[in-house]
Amino acid sequence: MGRKLYYIPLESLGLLYRQFFTPEAEVVPDSNVHRISEAKPGLALDLLHALAAAAEHGLP
């Protein structure tokens, strides 16, 4: 005998996620939140600037 294959139709998957896997937010008092420094744009922006400069001024 073969095994039965069960599946969830794609149209129903979003509804099931919302019903069973809804994350609950936890309230955090303001006194527990301390900002040390703001985040920098990161490597992606640095790379974009480097490529823009190379395109404008050329490379040796």
Side-chain angles (χ1 to χ4, degrees):
M1 286 189 194
R3 292 185 174 183
K4 292 184 179 183
L5 178 64
Y6 297 97
Y7 72 97
I8 299 172
L10 191 57
E11 301 84 33
S12 303
L13 195 55
L15 177 63
L16 287 173
Y17 276 141
R18 286 190 296 276
Q19 287 181 342
F20 294 106
F21 302 110
T22 303
E24 294 182 15
E26 181 181 331
V27 177
V28 177
D30 289 339
S31 61
N32 292 339
V33 177
H34 302 286
R35 184 177 70 194
I36 298 171
S37 66
E38 293 184 19
K40 296 182 179 178
L43 181 60
L45 188 59
D46 291 344
L47 181 58
L48 177 64
H49 287 171
L51 292 173
E56 185 176 333
H57 303 292
L59 293 174

